[in-house]
């Protein structure tokens, strides 16, 4: 069917937003809208300007026969700071202190609009790295991992601490969890990860990094590469960390069980934020 | 800053898509774009037409001082059928048969674009019901639950079969899992669900319905209501089901371990599909 420019702009915007990091040939849109390629190019110029101005992302244009246009989700640093500050404030309330020096995160990790912002922020930071898959460990990291993966348009694999029969044959490793210092087991289904995959590791909370280090060891067993590591919250009060390069959005500086005082600061994500805007 | 109509259409489309089921006053947009309300109304008419024509959703306009516009994600029945057929075909390959008569679903549940379609389909079906929260049980139902919750713009709560310390005090119940007929325990953090909440239960797979029945019993303990039940795949070969009204996208009709034959058919979702388009 035939589209006017106004209708095209609406549908194009929806199409690009729902197909991030996919190179779409201009001929696809020309056929979809029964319009000349030159008209589509003009539409894309308008969309690119608006996306960049509003902190929605950018459009990458690849010229030539195999070319097309690609939507890269990117938020502005200003919005990133607002998102991180808001989450930090929400997490700093005294009733979040749980027995054992843990922090109640469940409601924040259950909120889809907060998750969308966290996911888009990580996707901005890791936009230029080659990533084939996002990996996390059950259970709390899962929603963050899916949100990031949605914006990068790559699949998620979930490492499990149990060994469910429905996964088929698995590869398991032992690791020392920093928080409890107990030897634990983590497993991943053999068929869930290809050799040589570039893997972004995502988790909600990192103390010494034992769990993330375990995932890195597991990736070696699969001959896969670590493309990056992102955590929502790192624990600042750790003497020796098992993981070197990682991106954290927030830092847990103090958690006082008796006084119920929590102090949360910005993580290290500014060092990794390359978006121009 | 000032916007031209073309830029407004792009930003409005993005804004509405990222704020589903939220009533936004027209004055909000009038201020955002420094434009007259009448211009915004014209923009919204264009967007509504395109959304409905393209199976993106619809816009609901509420008149009056407390009024505004609300984006309701809705897909066409034709696209729903395509999505369900594609997933059904992907799930019917012989190598998916796992020991114990299980089906390998992990890769499908790890694919964000498939999940987005499943989520939008359930959100279409349950669009008109009062829903405050989506509930699922760890681990496999989680990505579907988050996808649905994103389109309905409500939080997710996750029932767990273990009892993690980081959740605070919990309510637990025992239930008989249909597949193994063993008595198991499921728990939900006390502070994660308010009294009187209307809860949409989402899961990946249902045999006799023991797990879902368990979640329903758990909701009673919280004085919460079941607003609906949605499963990706139901097992047809069950004599007695513990759950009456539920929506299934797909039906596992045959799974033959020896011959490695899987037969999957459409579930019952057509009965619940009220979208006009």
């Amino acid at each position: 069917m035939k589209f006017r420019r106004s209708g095209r702009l609406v549908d194009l915007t929806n199409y690009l937003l729902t197909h991030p990091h996919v190179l779409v040939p201009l001929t696809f849109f020309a056929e979809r809208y029964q319009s000349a390629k030159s008209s589509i190019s003009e539409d894309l110029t308008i969309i690119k300007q608006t996306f960049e101005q509003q902190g929605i992302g950018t459009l990458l244009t690849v010229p030539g026969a195999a070319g097309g246009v690609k939507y890269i989700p990117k938020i502005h640093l200003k919005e990133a700071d607002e998102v991180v500050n808001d989450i930090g404030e929400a997490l700093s309330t005294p009733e979040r202190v749980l027995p054992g020096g843990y922090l109640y995160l469940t409601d924040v990790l259950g909120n889809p609009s907060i998750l969308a912002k966290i996911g888009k922020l990580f996707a901005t930071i890791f936009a230029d790295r080659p990533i084939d898959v996002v990996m996390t460990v059950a259970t709390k990291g899962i929603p963050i991992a899916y949100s990031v993966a949605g914006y990068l348009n790559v699949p998620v694999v979930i490492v499990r601490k149990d060994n469910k029969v429905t996964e088929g044959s698995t590869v398991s490793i032992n690791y020392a969890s920093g928080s409890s210092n107990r030897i634990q087991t983590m497993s991943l289904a053999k068929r869930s990860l290809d050799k040589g995959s570039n893997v972004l590791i995502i988790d909600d909370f990192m103390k010494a990094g034992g769990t993330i280090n375990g995932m890195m060891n597991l990736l070696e067993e699969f001959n896969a590469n670590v493309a990056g590591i992102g955590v929502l919250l790192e624990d600042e009060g750790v003497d020796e960390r098992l993981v070197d390069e990682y991106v954290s959005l927030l830092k847990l500086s103090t958690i006082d069980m008796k006084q119920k005082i929590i102090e949360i600061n910005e993580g290290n994500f500014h060092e990794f934020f390359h978006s121009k805007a």
Side-chain angles (χ1 to χ4, degrees), chain A:
Chain A
M1 72 194 76
K2 194 94 177 137
F3 280 74
R4 300 181 55 174
R5 162 142 299 152
S6 52
R8 275 204 317 263
L9 284 173
V10 172
D11 190 65
L12 261 170
T13 300
N14 174 66
Y15 191 92
L16 292 166
L17 290 175
T18 52
H19 296 80
H21 284 274
V22 176
L23 187 69
V24 189
L26 258 54
T27 47
F28 172 83
F29 291 125
E31 279 169 29
R32 184 179 178 96
Y33 306 124
Q34 295 178 27
S35 305
K37 270 204 210 176
S38 57
S39 304
I40 304 291
S41 287
E42 287 166 27
D43 296 343
L44 293 171
T45 304
I46 296 167
I47 294 173
K48 183 178 156 90
Q49 276 173 0
T50 311
F51 275 19
E52 291 183 351
Q53 180 190 304
Q54 299 295 94
I56 298 168
T58 188
L59 298 188
L60 220 80
T61 313
V62 181
V69 62
K70 196 192 273 192
Y71 161 55
I72 315 286
K74 274 192 180 167
I75 64 171
H76 291 166
L77 181 56
K78 188 172 164 284
E79 196 196 335
D81 280 333
E82 280 169 17
V83 168
V84 167
N85 276 335
D86 288 351
I87 301 172
E89 265 180 42
L91 292 183
S92 302
T93 50
E95 65 272 19
R96 292 196 174 270
V97 180
L98 291 173
Y102 285 96
L103 197 62
Y104 184 73
L105 290 174
T106 310
D107 56 338
V108 168
L109 297 179
N111 183 317
S113 75
I114 295 178
L115 281 168
K117 286 170 184 164
I118 295 172
K120 201 168 175 185
L121 174 43
F122 277 127
T124 303
I125 288 167
F126 295 114
D128 301 325
R129 302 202 196 177
I131 291 166
D132 302 309
V133 58
V134 173
M135 176 188 260
T136 191
V137 67
T139 309
K140 296 244 192 80
I142 297 176
I144 305 178
Y146 271 96
S147 181
V148 181
Y151 286 105
L152 294 174
N153 211 349
V154 297
V156 176
V157 299
I158 300 172
V159 175
R160 297 181 64 135
K161 291 180 185 162
D162 51 18
N163 199 332
K164 285 280 287 193
V165 67
T166 55
E167 305 267 324
S169 62
T170 55
V171 176
S172 298
I173 61 144
N174 296 320
Y175 70 103
S177 163
S179 24
S180 63
N181 237 326
R182 263 194 1 242
I183 297 294
Q184 294 186 276
T185 305
M186 59 167 76
S187 319
L188 184 63
K190 253 187 189 165
R191 56 170 114 177
S192 64
L193 195 61
D194 291 335
K195 239 186 191 177
S197 298
N198 297 305
V199 181
L200 174 61
I201 296 175
I202 293 286
D203 210 354
D204 62 322
F205 187 57
M206 181 175 77
K207 280 196 160 179
T211 305
I212 285 175
N213 198 250
M215 282 192 265
M216 292 168 79
N217 293 337
L218 197 55
L219 286 182
E220 274 176 35
E221 296 295 319
F222 280 85
N223 287 309
N225 315 308
V226 182
I229 297 166
V231 297
L232 173 62
L233 184 66
E234 63 166 311
D235 189 344
E236 206 180 358
V238 167
D239 293 331
E240 207 180 349
R241 216 176 290 283
L242 298 164
V243 177
D244 289 329
E245 204 214 86
Y246 60 89
V247 178
S248 65
L249 303 191
L250 290 157
K251 211 174 264 188
L252 179 60
S253 302
T254 311
I255 182 162
D256 184 322
M257 288 247 343
K258 265 196 192 151
Q259 313 261 338
K260 302 232 170 193
I261 294 169
I262 298 168
E263 194 200 329
I264 290 177
N265 291 300
E266 198 177 87
N268 67 9
F269 72 95
H270 270 242
E271 300 167 34
F272 300 89
F273 206 93
H274 301 302
S275 175
K276 286 164 297 179

